[in-house]
Amino acid sequence: SQELEQSPQSLIVQEGKNLTINCTSSKTLYGLYWYKQKYGEGLIFLMMLQKGGEEKSHEKITAKLDEKKQQSSLHITASQPSHAGIYLCGADMVTGGGNKLTFGTGTQLKVEL
Amino acid sequence: NAGVTQTPKFRILKIGQSMTLQCTQDMNHNYMYWYRQDPGMGLKLIYYSVGAGITDKGEVPNGYNVSRSTTEDFPLRLELAAPSQTSVYFCASSYFREPTGELFFGEGSRLTVL
């Protein structure tokens, strides 16, 4: 079983629509990290969340970590074709540091014109 | 800036063959990692290294070997390739000063074992 569960597995939205991706853990997380992957490329770091209730934004992407530090959401406002790709959450499930990450299964996002 | 460079990008192997995936980084990072990505399964950590001369197993190390003789290089060796090793392999690196979670990834190596 996956230690980090992501939902949905895939998502198709029309350009301009908002969307949310969720990442859930059965354990309390020391930190939660969001990455984006474009097809045929490596992962690009988006954001790190460490404190319960923390929220961070970068351009039109907002990520939140719940108070219990077991669930995170990634919200995209007014989606654009450039947002398309695979979004993965990651967490260090062992040491609490941020350098040996376990990843979720990913959410594939397609943005239709 | 080259960042993390992996070679080859694509490779087809026959069952039982061996090969080495090369990874080099020019950011003077002390941590390096090898992950494999299978469809619908996310990324699984194969091996990692916290510095030259030090390596440790990750979640799925069986069938693989690594070495870290320099800070820059972290090759992954596949001995006796099996169809279960068909996957996309990613090398990554990070600089451990405090937990940031920012790993720098290579573009991946797509391996098919037939």
Side-chain angles (χ1 to χ4, degrees):
Chain A
S1 64
Q2 284 289 130
E3 292 186 279
L4 289 175
E5 296 281 350
Q6 280 187 244
S7 63
Q9 280 190 318
S10 63
L11 199 51
I12 302 174
V13 299
Q14 280 193 318
E15 184 178 5
K17 296 294 186 184
N18 303 336
L19 63 107
T20 300
I21 298 168
N22 294 303
C23 176
T24 303
S25 170
S26 57
K27 302 177 185 179
T28 299
L29 301 171
Y30 295 100
L32 192 287
Y33 311 88
W34 284 100
Y35 282 79
K36 179 186 176 184
Q37 181 183 25
K38 289 193 172 182
Y39 180 75
E41 299 180 14
L43 281 68
I44 303 295
F45 175 77
L46 293 175
M47 281 176 255
M48 172 188 71
L49 302 165
Q50 284 191 300
K51 299 176 183 176
E54 187 175 7
E55 179 176 321
K56 285 187 178 178
S57 294
H58 176 67
E59 297 179 347
K60 293 186 178 181
I61 300 177
T62 301
K64 300 178 185 179
L65 183 62
D66 74 338
E67 291 290 341
K68 289 185 177 180
K69 295 173 68 174
Q70 288 186 281
Q71 185 166 354
S72 178
S73 60
L74 186 83
H75 184 77
I76 299 177
T77 303
S79 58
Q80 300 169 350
S82 61
H83 288 128
I86 300 172
Y87 290 82
L88 296 100
C89 62
D92 190 325
M93 311 295 287
V94 178
T95 68
N99 289 293
K100 190 162 73 72
L101 301 183
T102 296
F103 286 91
T105 52
T107 296
Q108 184 163 11
L109 172 64
K110 294 182 181 179
V111 180
E112 291 183 336
L113 299 175
Chain B
N1 295 332
V4 178
T5 303
Q6 291 181 234
T7 57
K9 285 188 167 40
F10 302 93
R11 183 73 186 268
I12 298 174
L13 282 180
K14 293 183 180 179
I15 293 172
Q17 287 186 318
S18 299
M19 75 160 296
T20 299
L21 297 177
Q22 301 291 345
C23 176
T24 187
Q25 52 92 8
D26 61 359
M27 297 174 282
N28 201 31
H29 285 168
N30 51 347
Y31 273 62
M32 294 188 75
Y33 317 80
W34 274 106
Y35 284 91
R36 58 177 286 172
Q37 184 177 35
D38 300 318
M41 297 298 290
L43 276 78
K44 301 285 188 184
L45 182 63
I46 305 171
Y47 270 97
Y48 69 102
S49 168
V50 302
I54 306 169
T55 62
D56 206 349
K57 296 178 181 178
E59 192 177 354
V60 289
N62 292 343
Y64 307 94
N65 279 302
V66 292
S67 59
R68 185 96 180 269
S69 56
T70 65
T71 299
E72 295 78 19
D73 301 308
F74 190 42
L76 177 72
R77 177 98 179 141
L78 281 73
E79 305 281 1
L80 299 174
S84 61
Q85 293 178 306
T86 294
S87 189
V88 181
Y89 292 85
F90 288 97
C91 178
S93 71
S94 67
Y95 182 60
F96 183 76
R97 180 182 293 275
E98 56 186 54
T100 67
E102 184 169 6
L103 276 62
F104 294 80
F105 282 82
E107 294 187 342
S109 299
R110 187 176 295 272
L111 175 67
T112 302
V113 182
L114 301 174

